[in-house]
Amino acid sequence: MPDKVAPAERQVLKNVKATDNDKEAVQLKKELGLLDGVAIIVGIIVGAGIFVSPKGVLRNSGSVGQALIVWIFSGLLSLIGALCYAELGTMIPKSGGDYAYISDAFGPLPAFLYLWVALFILVPTGNAITALTFAQYILQPVWPGCVPPYEAVRLLAAVITCLLTAINCYNVKWATRVQDIFTGTKIFALVIIMVAGLWWLSMGHTENFHHPMDGTNTQPGYIALAVYSGLFSYSGWNYLNFVTEELKDPYKNLPKAICISLPLVTVIYVLANVAYFVVLTQDEILASHAVAVTFGDKLLGVMSWIIPFFVACSTFGALNGAIFASSRLFFVGARNGHLPAAIALINVRNLTPMPSLIFLCIITLALLIIEDVYVLINYVSFVEALFTTLSVSGLLWLRYKSPDRERPIKVSILLPIIFFVICAFLVTFPCYVSPWEVGVGVIIILSGIPVYWVFIRWNKKPKWLVRTSHNFNMICAKLFMCVQEEKSD
């Protein structure tokens, strides 16, 4: 399966490169500035979660007061994790995020298992659900008072996934401009919610905060599940690490983007939840399928249509950012020989990882065929937390193993220790509350081991398998006008 492009294949591609008259090396370009970095982090974090699913935090917390504590805690935990990743990202300045860090710290097998789960479950599932959410909110006005037909939702989700993939294939600057615009749009939507909620509060509507801690759930397992729900809405804080090689001056811009983005998102999320809790009762929130829409219907009157519109804009931007960043993860995995070499090819005209983007699009479209894609979320939350714990434990291990290694950014040792302990808690306690989901997650991870030994470690592969891989690489190279990345001196 994975193999390097043979010299004969490079010879075939020389004419393609020559006709392009491009004096630059064929490699991913450093086109992302600080604003783009902030837009990627904020744009991916602020997806549908804050508009749709704050009830998950409230359900497992049991009270308004504890729910707000969980939102603040989740933001602080994400900031600590992002700072740890800033050290990892500048110490190991490679695209690929967790994959690159786990590989450097623990070797190829754990890194491949992360790539395996991310490739078929984590990334495409998140993208599919984001696309479906976008389609549902765009189509809602066409079917007022009822749920849009699922076939129409799936079709529109597939179309928007293909459109954004095409934009990312064509031009990196186009993709980042889309990200910048829609990040601004979703922040504007949350500002509307915050201002409306504070206006309602200033009118004396404080009844929902008279007994904020009533009903608080103190069981550790449910606290962990509440934090899971909060972290789901903060997920994406590590995606800028996937594109480190395309970031201008990453030693400065990576930590700056993190330090701007995470506090900004935390403040916005907490104030938005305060607005929800001021306007809506606990029962109304728990009964709602989309808290922001219920909020708009109750408070904004004839202007309530703007909330579904902004939710759609938010998910559009989040999907664009996820496609852009996660495609680099698979590009790096293929470059290291853990995926077919065709996925590590770069288009000679646009200098984008076109095969990786198209491959990710195909898997996402395949998941859209599944009747209930949402059920996969229950299985991957544990897996994602497990590999995040593994990444930060890699930071601690490298501090011990390579103390003299160059670290342009070096955080206090307390931060990775705190983050590791909390992540270990989040990984362990749900085993008692949701053993089935945890068990399925472990099975998904372990299923990658035989794949690794057969396709990666097995040196004496059958000739037909090598030949098939070679032909696949050649077809992709010619079809998408791609070559292997050139290393500049």
Side-chain angles (χ1 to χ4, degrees):
M1 179 170 146
D3 64 339
K4 301 300 181 184
V5 178
E9 297 175 33
R10 293 196 186 95
Q11 183 64 34
V12 170
L13 291 167
K14 280 184 178 179
N15 292 334
V16 175
K17 293 167 65 178
T19 57
D20 198 56
N21 294 324
D22 190 355
K23 295 181 180 179
E24 295 180 278
V26 180
Q27 57 184 197
L28 301 180
K29 297 165 67 177
K30 290 184 177 292
E31 295 189 332
L32 305 180
L34 177 60
L35 177 60
D36 297 322
V38 172
I40 287 173
I41 296 176
V42 175
I44 294 176
I45 291 177
V46 184
I50 187 61
F51 297 104
V52 178
S53 57
K55 70 176 184 180
V57 176
L58 181 60
R59 183 192 303 115
N60 291 299
S61 297
S63 69
V64 169
Q66 180 153 295
L68 289 175
I69 292 172
V70 167
W71 280 105
I72 295 171
F73 175 78
S74 297
L76 291 175
L77 182 61
S78 298
L79 177 59
I80 292 173
L83 291 173
C84 294
Y85 273 59
E87 176 175 330
L88 284 167
T90 52
M91 179 177 61
I92 308 169
K94 302 175 183 176
S95 293
D98 297 80
Y99 169 77
Y101 312 145
I102 293 171
S103 178
D104 195 286
F106 301 115
L109 177 57
F112 174 81
L113 293 179
Y114 171 76
L115 188 67
W116 170 256
V117 176
L119 178 64
F120 291 106
I121 303 294
L122 290 180
V123 172
T125 295
N127 290 355
I129 290 174
T130 303
L132 289 169
T133 304
F134 168 84
Q136 286 172 339
Y137 280 92
I138 283 293
L139 294 176
Q140 188 62 59
V142 182
W143 282 273
C146 62
V147 178
Y150 191 60
E151 290 304 319
V153 171
R154 280 200 293 196
L155 178 60
L156 182 56
V159 170
I160 203 63
T161 300
C162 293
L163 173 62
L164 287 174
T165 298
I167 292 174
N168 278 271
C169 284
Y170 185 73
N171 194 300
V172 170
K173 288 185 178 179
W174 283 20
T176 55
R177 291 295 81 79
V178 167
Q179 195 64 22
D180 295 344
I181 292 169
F182 281 91
T183 296
T185 303
K186 67 183 70 180
I187 295 300
F188 180 67
L190 287 169
V191 168
I192 291 175
I193 292 174
M194 289 185 289
V195 170
L198 292 175
W199 170 77
W200 191 253
L201 183 64
S202 67
M203 294 179 64
H205 296 281
T206 60
E207 56 273 11
N208 293 342
F209 284 95
H210 286 169
H211 304 285
M213 302 304 291
D214 281 0
T216 296
N217 195 337
T218 58
Q219 296 182 46
Y222 285 99
I223 293 175
L225 290 176
V227 175
Y228 265 158
S229 297
L231 290 176
F232 176 75
S233 290
Y234 281 98
S235 62
W237 51 263
N238 59 333
Y239 267 48
L240 189 60
N241 293 66
F242 287 178
V243 295
T244 304
E245 295 174 23
E246 295 172 77
L247 193 63
K248 299 175 183 175
D249 198 0
Y251 298 148
K252 290 183 179 179
N253 286 333
L254 179 61
K256 280 184 180 179
I258 289 169
C259 291
I260 293 172
S261 304
L262 269 301
L264 174 65
V265 171
T266 302
V267 170
I268 290 173
Y269 272 17
V270 172
L271 291 179
N273 275 277
V274 169
Y276 291 148
F277 293 141
V278 165
V279 175
L280 304 174
T281 65
Q282 288 194 47
D283 291 338
E284 287 174 323
I285 292 174
L286 294 175
S288 173
H289 293 293
V291 175
V293 175
T294 305
F295 175 93
D297 290 341
K298 185 169 183 178
L299 201 62
L300 300 181
V302 294
M303 295 299 293
S304 61
W305 62 269
I306 66 175
I307 297 298
F309 171 76
F310 281 127
V311 172
C313 290
S314 176
T315 52
F316 186 89
L319 180 60
N320 177 71
I323 289 172
F324 176 82
S326 56
S327 64
R328 273 59 177 177
L329 166 62
F330 306 131
F331 171 84
V332 174
R335 190 172 63 185
N336 291 346
H338 284 172
L339 291 173
I343 299 176
L345 300 178
I346 298 176
N347 181 267
V348 296
R349 292 198 178 100
N350 303 323
L351 301 181
T352 58
M354 189 178 290
S356 177
L357 286 159
I358 293 172
F359 186 67
L360 173 60
C361 178
I362 291 171
I363 298 177
T364 304
L365 294 177
L367 285 178
L368 288 174
I369 298 174
I370 298 175
E371 280 298 323
D372 188 8
V373 181
Y374 295 88
V375 74
L376 294 174
I377 285 292
N378 297 327
Y379 302 132
V380 302
S381 296
F382 162 79
V383 175
E384 195 166 15
L386 178 62
F387 280 108
T388 300
T389 306
L390 190 60
S391 292
V392 78
S393 64
L395 172 58
L396 294 170
W397 172 244
L398 289 172
R399 284 280 188 99
Y400 170 77
K401 178 184 175 183
S402 309
D404 299 326
R405 192 165 179 173
E406 183 180 359
R407 292 174 170 84
I409 297 171
K410 188 174 182 179
V411 299
S412 168
I413 190 65
L414 290 177
L415 293 184
I417 291 175
I418 292 171
F419 190 73
F420 174 79
V421 170
I422 294 173
C423 284
F425 163 78
L426 293 175
V427 168
T428 303
F429 279 95
C431 296
Y432 302 99
V433 180
S434 306
W436 173 254
E437 286 81 358
V438 171
V440 172
V442 171
I443 291 172
I444 292 172
I445 295 172
L446 296 180
S447 67
I449 295 178
V451 176
Y452 175 80
W453 284 104
V454 171
F455 292 104
I456 311 298
R457 295 293 297 174
W458 189 17
N459 293 323
K460 297 182 180 180
K461 298 181 180 70
K463 291 183 179 180
W464 66 266
L465 185 60
V466 176
R467 186 166 54 250
T468 301
S469 179
H470 170 88
N471 293 336
F472 175 72
N473 294 335
M474 285 295 295
I475 290 170
C476 288
K478 294 176 181 178
L479 181 63
F480 303 120
M481 297 287 288
C482 291
V483 296
Q484 275 195 317
E485 180 181 34
E486 294 179 1
K487 294 296 183 181
S488 55
D489 295 331

